[in-house]
Amino acid sequence: MTTKIIMDTDPGIDDAAAISVAINNPEIELELITTVAGNVTVDKTTKNAMKLVKFFNADIPVAGGAEQPLIKPFEDAARVHGESGMPGYDFGVEPTDIPVNNAVDVLYHTIMANDEPIVLVPTGSYTNIAVLLTEHPDVKTKIEKIVAMGGAIGTGNMTSAAEFNVFTDPHAAEILYKSGIPVVMVGLDVTMKALLTQSTLDTVKSLGKAGEMLGAIFNHYYEGNEGGIPMHDVNTLAYLLKPEMYKTIPYWIDVVTEGPANGETVADIRGAYHDGKTNAEVCVDIDADAFNAWFIEEVKKMNA
């Protein structure tokens, strides 16, 4: 059995690793990649997605999406991911025929054309997803679940309260969590524990052309610490493929859309404000050693 997914993403270094896993794991059928402004501008994130598809000789369509959040001014993360979003490796000739601003239409038609419900995996801001759900509410019955990287019920990484993807477009995140579609929140509570250790990074670099590519871009990732580098977006794929590595708790998640806590994801941990209802399965812990071992095995499967 394979799981059909669509990735909505903003590569980005950890997004690149997640896309690489999705393209090469035989248990995943990646139907489409849509892109959004996030880590860098949408023209760059789209180019980066196209570079990865070409690198792996994959037959996967790429559609460019939202250039700006729904309401909030755009603020990128080039300080973390570099000006191009994926520095450090020469992918060859730059893509020139960049598909722009058709992601929502392509998302809708791809999802509706599938016989079975599909899994959405957003690893950037949720702007494209929010527009899709708002303009085409009939699509909801064809989405099995949304496994979304973003949010935190603990400390943020853009403010003390807010994680980057949700902070980038909190109004889109609010739409996602109010959609009624099952959501798995893969946030900083686990991704800041899922650190690739130096030993893992050294091993990855030795694993063929794909390992060389990933190792080169990881070297330009300005989010490391003494324990290693976080692979935020890869955790969405890890959860889909190895959910036993994660501890989850069902919560109702509200999103703050104004004020100093803008972008915060607030978990109703007491079940006090929504009549005990929940709208998300929230990842709260991970077996970090198992994650490192799993990631090495995933890179071994990559036949660039």
Side-chain angles (χ1 to χ4, degrees):
M1 286 288 291
T2 59
T3 300
K4 286 188 176 183
I5 73 169
I6 291 173
M7 292 191 70
D8 186 76
T9 180
D10 61 340
I13 292 169
D14 54 326
D15 308 75
I19 291 169
S20 299
V21 171
I23 288 174
N24 290 284
N25 188 289
E27 297 175 48
I28 295 290
E29 188 174 341
L30 181 56
E31 295 264 295
L32 170 68
I33 300 171
T34 53
T35 59
V36 65
N39 289 320
V40 287
T41 56
V42 72
D43 58 325
K44 294 177 181 178
T45 64
T46 308
K47 280 184 181 182
N48 289 343
M50 295 173 72
K51 289 176 186 178
L52 291 163
V53 169
K54 182 180 179 182
F55 179 84
F56 289 111
N57 297 307
D59 184 19
I60 298 165
V62 176
E67 299 178 1
Q68 298 283 339
L70 296 178
I71 296 173
K72 186 174 175 288
F74 175 56
E75 182 177 343
D76 70 21
R79 69 192 183 285
V80 175
H81 294 264
E83 286 302 315
S84 73
M86 275 184 354
Y89 185 82
D90 183 4
F91 286 89
V93 178
E94 288 278 314
T96 55
D97 187 16
I98 308 298
V100 293
N101 208 26
N102 65 339
V104 172
D105 288 340
V106 178
L107 276 166
Y108 179 68
H109 292 297
T110 302
I111 293 168
M112 298 303 288
N114 268 277
D115 294 333
E116 298 295 328
I118 205 157
V119 176
L120 290 185
V121 183
T123 62
S125 65
Y126 311 145
T127 313
N128 292 331
I129 306 299
V131 175
L132 172 72
L133 298 177
T134 303
E135 293 186 353
H136 303 286
D138 57 318
V139 81
K140 293 180 183 181
T141 61
K142 299 298 293 285
I143 299 171
E144 178 185 340
K145 61 185 172 184
I146 301 174
V147 180
M149 192 279 131
I153 59 174
T155 304
N157 62 356
M158 284 298 285
T159 68
S160 61
E163 175 276 332
F164 176 76
N165 285 348
V166 179
F167 178 86
T168 299
D169 196 341
H171 299 89
E174 182 180 42
I175 290 169
L176 184 148
Y177 279 101
K178 288 184 174 179
S179 68
I181 299 168
V183 176
V184 179
M185 179 174 132
V186 185
L188 299 181
D189 309 285
V190 291
T191 68
M192 290 306 296
K193 298 174 185 175
L195 303 178
L196 295 187
T197 66
Q198 188 60 52
S199 174
T200 296
L201 293 170
D202 291 342
T203 300
V204 164
K205 293 173 187 176
S206 70
L207 297 177
K209 187 178 177 183
E212 177 188 350
M213 179 271 289
L214 291 171
I217 64 174
F218 290 167
N219 279 342
H220 288 73
Y221 193 24
Y222 297 103
E223 202 183 3
N225 57 43
E226 290 183 2
I229 62 172
M231 283 289 105
H232 303 290
D233 299 332
V234 178
N235 280 268
T236 56
L237 278 301
Y239 174 85
L240 278 171
L241 293 162
K242 295 287 183 182
E244 64 273 14
M245 291 195 299
Y246 294 82
K247 177 184 177 182
T248 66
I249 300 176
Y251 286 126
W252 187 281
I253 297 293
D254 286 304
V255 181
V256 179
T257 58
E258 60 184 4
N262 196 5
E264 181 179 10
T265 44
V266 181
D268 183 6
I269 61 173
R270 295 190 297 130
Y273 303 105
H274 297 278
D275 299 320
K277 296 177 183 177
T278 62
N279 65 354
E281 196 71 28
V282 180
C283 295
V284 296
D285 205 357
I286 183 174
D287 183 337
D289 290 339
F291 177 82
N292 273 263
W294 168 84
F295 186 74
I296 289 170
E297 291 305 309
E298 291 303 302
V299 179
K300 289 179 180 178
K301 296 171 186 172
M302 299 175 188
N303 298 307

